Amino acid sequence: MSMIAAFYGGKSILITGATGFLGKVLMEKLFRTSPDLKVIYILVRPKAGQTLQQRVFQILNSKLFEKVKEVCPNVHEKIRAIYADLSQNDFAISKEDMQELLSCTNIIFHCAATVRFDDTLRHAVQLNVTATRQLLLMASQMPKLEAFIHISTAYSNCNLKHIDEVIYPCPVEPKKIIDSLEWLDDAIIEEIAPKLIRDWPNIYTYTKALGEMVVQQESRNLNIAIIRPSIVGATWQEPFPGWVDNINGPNGLIIAAGKGFLRALKATPKAVADLIPVDTVVNLMLAVGWYTAVHRPKSTLVYHSTSGNLNPCNWHKMGVQVLATFEKIPLERAFRRPYANFTSNNFTSQYWNAVSHRAPAIIYDCYLRLTGRKPRMTKVMNQILRTASMLEYFINRSWEWSTYNTEMLMSELSPEDQRVFNFDVRQLNWLEYIENYVLGVKKYLLKEDMAGIPEAKQHLKRLRNIHYLFNTALFLIVWRLLIARSQMARNVWFFIVSFCYKFLSYFRASSTLKV
Ligand SMILES: CCCCCCCCCCCCCCCCCCCCCCCCCCCC(=O)SCCNC(=O)CCNC(=O)[C@H](O)C(C)(C)COP(=O)(O)OP(=O)(O)OC[C@H]1O[C@@H](n2cnc3c(N)ncnc32)[C@H](O)[C@@H]1OP(=O)(O)O
Ligand SMILES: NC(=O)C1=CN([C@@H]2O[C@H](COP(=O)(O)OP(=O)(O)OC[C@H]3O[C@@H](n4cnc5c(N)ncnc54)[C@H](OP(=O)(O)O)[C@@H]3O)[C@@H](O)[C@H]2O)C=CC1
């Protein structure tokens, strides 16, 4: 019997960010391994015209939850969606709901955040810092609370090269920033933001670092742990391999590469690609929840959920495997054949952007215009290049994350728990994982049918022929222009023609002699 699964039985669990990528996989695993849990409270806001109930219904009826429905048929009754907006005072939760949360919650998993790199400082602080403080305040009023698990990111200290499982101080006190945002207007905030974030690459990582400091400062006598995942990728094993449902991190670039939009990337091939499967992160989260509640460590422990120091893979290996998978399982209606290279040189990168990205987009838009359609490719291309440039910081550097606490926890688990809540990335086979990942992007994110693969392959063949035809035509045009304008080009041309003529005459004469 799994001790961790048994621990969550009968518990009331509060999850923020349950509608996000990590939150959904966390709920799925909880329901599947501890179907006798009492209730999962989720703080949700209405979004995209959907009510809370519609959002929950959609999640529970997705492919991800298929296995849960077999193990826990009454899952609908065990999930309680509470209206909340984490960027509002008291999260805009009703008095009754707040009372219920305060009196019943046993465990908190705080996943909600804005993960946009380009968010405004005001909004990112509201969500990643102030909301964390507010939730800790709520937690301190929960008599039954056993553990508070805060999800941060391994990149919260990406201004350092070696990162230990400790909370590092930030140059500016979070409280000072929270207070100053109350009276500064938006224009001034955006002006001072670059000065505040110093050597952090974006607002996201900076505010996540502030969030950790808040956790340390406001921990009071709570049982708290922080988990820092690196780049969270598709599921490795559970509930099935390759599940993914958003375009963050590598996902958008994998699609852009598979559709033939992105054919070169400013990346350092040997830099470590620190991906971590989402189910591995979730298993660690549940193990940490159990350990924090049962063993009650004296201080706030930080756990790194990273792969680089235990089972490293670099961007070259990853890129090659992504492309190899697209050879076997192409995406539908590609713009060009998937082909790409990584370059760490600025000049080469600019060159490839002009030749491989912008030029084909402009040519395609001309074609759309000529055929009476609305041009759109340049816009799409600009968006992809903007996204790629935002991610560049992370694919041109390597970090070392120590994992003492994570390894310590692994050794504390029973063999059964190590199996059911496996977070040992040493067992991960990267080639197999990446293949399933790419397949998952095609099936679950793009919702493409596997039956369409032969047609997709046929389409790629047509693209290859168009490519050859285009290159030949281009060569002939350039050559013709050269011959018309340059004596030297004419001489070379006559030399080639006469050489070919002589070769053919010799070949014909020798074959006549043999007869
Ligand atoms: C040496 C030889 C080698 C040979 C082999 C070479 C082979 C190469 C093949 C290439 C294959 C590539 C495969 C490898 C992939 C490597 C990529 C690695 C990426 C690494 C990422 C590291 C990130 C780590 C950070 C830390 C992790 C975290 O803690 S949190 C999660 C990270 N957060 C995010 O990822 C959020 C990032 N997104 C944003 O901040 C914003 O979306 C944006 C700023 C990027 C864009 O904002 P904007 O307002 O302009 O746009 P938005 O409204 O959001 O969207 C507009 C349209 O753009 C689409 N979109 C959005 N995001 C992405 C995206 N990530 N990728 C692609 N497209 C995106 C979006 O859908 C919108 O489209 P429309 O709706 O159609 O308009
Ligand atoms: N994905 C990754 O690569 C990594 C993620 N992390 C961390 O993991 C956690 C989860 O990330 P992930 O699941 O990928 O992110 P998502 O963007 O998928 O999910 C974010 C969640 O936060 C919720 N949220 C955002 N704003 C509000 C708000 N104002 N009120 C209520 N809820 C809100 C979202 O709700 P809604 O659906 O309504 O928008 C959503 O459920 C974050 O803390 C992130 O920093 C760490 C490292 C890597």
Side-chain angles (χ1 to χ4, degrees):
M1 172 67 184
S2 155
M3 281 200 295
I4 299 178
F7 165 76
Y8 288 102
K11 294 274 188 311
S12 301
I13 301 155
L14 168 61
I15 302 179
T16 70
T19 50
F21 180 45
L22 201 61
K24 284 181 216 164
V25 181
L26 174 65
M27 279 202 292
E28 193 279 337
K29 177 87 184 201
L30 266 169
F31 280 128
R32 190 158 42 83
T33 50
S34 306
D36 56 341
L37 61 80
K38 192 168 175 201
V39 62
I40 296 186
Y41 295 112
I42 61 174
L43 301 190
V44 198
R45 53 184 176 170
K47 199 176 178 186
Q50 282 188 310
T51 63
L52 266 58
Q53 284 65 31
Q54 285 167 331
R55 294 193 74 185
V56 174
F57 183 82
Q58 196 177 26
I59 293 173
L60 295 183
N61 284 296
S62 66
K63 170 129 184 85
L64 182 71
F65 278 76
E66 271 174 10
K67 280 191 186 163
V68 165
K69 286 204 203 125
E70 289 165 21
V71 190
C72 181
N74 60 341
V75 57
H76 289 88
E77 295 158 19
K78 292 205 173 218
I79 197 161
R80 174 125 149 66
I82 290 184
Y83 175 94
D85 182 345
L86 270 67
S87 58
Q88 307 280 323
N89 267 348
D90 288 336
F91 300 160
I93 299 178
S94 75
K95 266 197 183 135
E96 300 72 43
D97 286 343
M98 184 62 93
Q99 206 42 55
E100 184 175 345
L101 285 177
L102 294 184
S103 55
C104 301
T105 306
N106 300 119
I107 316 279
I108 298 179
F109 289 101
H110 179 34
C111 305
T114 167
V115 301
R116 290 185 69 95
F117 294 161
D118 64 340
D119 213 336
T120 60
L121 183 64
R122 183 187 293 286
H123 185 245
V125 168
Q126 262 166 0
L127 219 62
N128 298 349
V129 192
T130 315
T132 302
R133 191 163 79 156
Q134 172 76 38
L135 194 62
L136 285 161
L137 189 72
M138 274 172 66
S140 68
Q141 299 163 45
M142 294 175 173
K144 292 187 185 161
L145 191 73
E146 296 170 46
F148 181 112
I149 311 303
H150 173 75
I151 310 305
S152 185
T153 162
Y155 297 94
S156 57
N157 300 289
C158 59
N159 50 336
L160 306 176
K161 185 145 176 44
H162 177 90
I163 301 159
D164 279 318
E165 288 166 307
V166 296
I167 301 172
Y168 293 91
C170 289
V172 184
E173 274 289 306
K175 192 173 174 321
K176 280 190 185 156
I177 297 188
I178 295 173
D179 290 346
S180 55
L181 292 190
E182 270 172 23
W183 57 270
L184 286 175
D185 74 30
D186 287 348
I188 300 177
I189 293 171
E190 289 320 302
E191 209 169 297
I192 59 168
K195 293 186 184 85
L196 276 177
I197 72 171
R198 297 187 190 194
D199 49 353
W200 273 268
N202 52 45
I203 299 266
Y204 166 66
T205 48
Y206 176 69
T207 51
K208 289 299 276 189
L210 290 176
E212 287 186 9
M213 260 199 94
V214 161
V215 169
Q216 190 179 42
Q217 291 171 346
E218 311 277 329
S219 57
R220 299 181 184 91
N221 55 353
L222 296 168
N223 269 329
I224 304 189
I226 296 179
I227 297 178
R228 290 189 186 140
S230 47
I231 303 166
V232 183
T235 51
W236 167 22
Q237 292 164 319
E238 291 180 85
F240 46 83
W243 183 82
V244 61
D245 84 335
N246 73 23
I247 54 150
N248 282 343
N251 311 348
L253 295 194
I254 290 175
I255 296 174
K259 294 274 183 189
F261 294 124
L262 188 75
R263 292 169 59 97
L265 202 53
K266 188 164 183 289
T268 304
K270 282 193 179 152
V272 176
D274 210 301
L275 239 70
I276 188 86
V278 61
D279 46 339
T280 308
V281 181
V282 161
N283 286 343
L284 176 67
M285 285 164 71
L286 293 173
V288 168
W290 161 78
Y291 186 80
T292 311
V294 172
H295 293 267
R296 307 171 72 90
K298 284 195 184 72
S299 60
T300 299
L301 292 188
V302 178
Y303 299 85
H304 282 163
S305 187
T306 53
S307 57
N309 66 337
L310 295 174
N311 183 2
C313 175
N314 61 35
W315 290 113
H316 172 81
K317 185 172 169 183
M318 198 156 283
V320 168
Q321 184 62 3
V322 168
L323 288 186
T325 310
F326 281 134
E327 276 288 315
K328 283 196 280 181
I329 313 153
L331 297 185
E332 288 170 11
R333 294 184 301 275
F335 173 56
R336 295 180 71 194
R337 281 178 72 78
Y339 167 82
N341 62 52
F342 288 159
T343 167
S344 47
N345 179 287
N346 237 340
F347 178 77
T348 327
S349 159
Q350 297 289 342
Y351 169 80
W352 284 120
N353 273 349
V355 171
S356 262
H357 297 142
R358 293 194 201 282
I362 293 170
I363 293 171
Y364 190 73
D365 274 350
C366 287
Y367 162 74
L368 287 180
R369 263 202 195 94
L370 287 173
T371 50
R373 283 174 286 175
K374 201 173 161 220
R376 59 190 156 85
M377 201 48 75
T378 311
K379 192 169 164 241
V380 171
M381 198 58 86
N382 285 340
Q383 184 63 45
I384 290 170
L385 294 183
R386 178 173 132 81
T387 300
S389 80
M390 292 249 174
L391 301 180
E392 260 172 26
Y393 179 91
F394 302 95
I395 45 185
N396 283 286
R397 287 170 178 75
S398 295
W399 287 266
E400 287 161 20
W401 286 280
S402 64
T403 48
Y404 298 115
N405 288 341
T406 305
E407 288 174 67
M408 173 280 292
L409 181 57
M410 216 181 294
S411 66
E412 288 283 322
L413 302 191
S414 67
E416 176 68 353
D417 278 331
Q418 284 180 355
R419 189 185 63 77
V420 181
F421 295 91
N422 180 17
F423 51 88
D424 186 356
V425 278
R426 282 171 291 209
Q427 296 163 18
L428 181 90
N429 174 337
W430 281 109
L431 296 186
E432 197 180 280
Y433 174 67
I434 297 163
E435 182 166 321
N436 284 329
Y437 193 150
V438 173
L439 201 63
V441 165
K442 180 177 169 73
K443 282 204 290 195
Y444 309 118
L445 194 50
L446 296 175
K447 311 233 180 311
E448 289 187 4
D449 194 342
M450 292 316 228
I453 290 178
E455 167 53 28
K457 284 190 173 165
Q458 212 43 48
H459 178 67
L460 288 188
K461 271 193 193 145
R462 278 195 296 273
L463 286 177
R464 189 191 52 196
N465 294 342
I466 293 172
H467 175 77
Y468 288 154
L469 210 70
F470 180 82
N471 280 0
T472 313
L474 194 69
F475 173 77
L476 289 177
I477 292 167
V478 172
W479 190 235
R480 185 70 195 84
L481 287 175
L482 265 177
I483 286 179
R485 280 156 196 260
S486 147
Q487 183 58 46
M488 194 152 111
R490 271 197 295 274
N491 291 346
V492 172
W493 179 238
F494 286 131
F495 173 77
I496 294 172
V497 170
S498 63
F499 179 80
C500 290
Y501 179 75
K502 275 182 195 157
F503 180 77
L504 279 177
S505 314
Y506 169 79
F507 184 73
R508 208 180 303 148
S510 61
S511 53
T512 322
L513 276 178
K514 268 184 206 159
V515 175

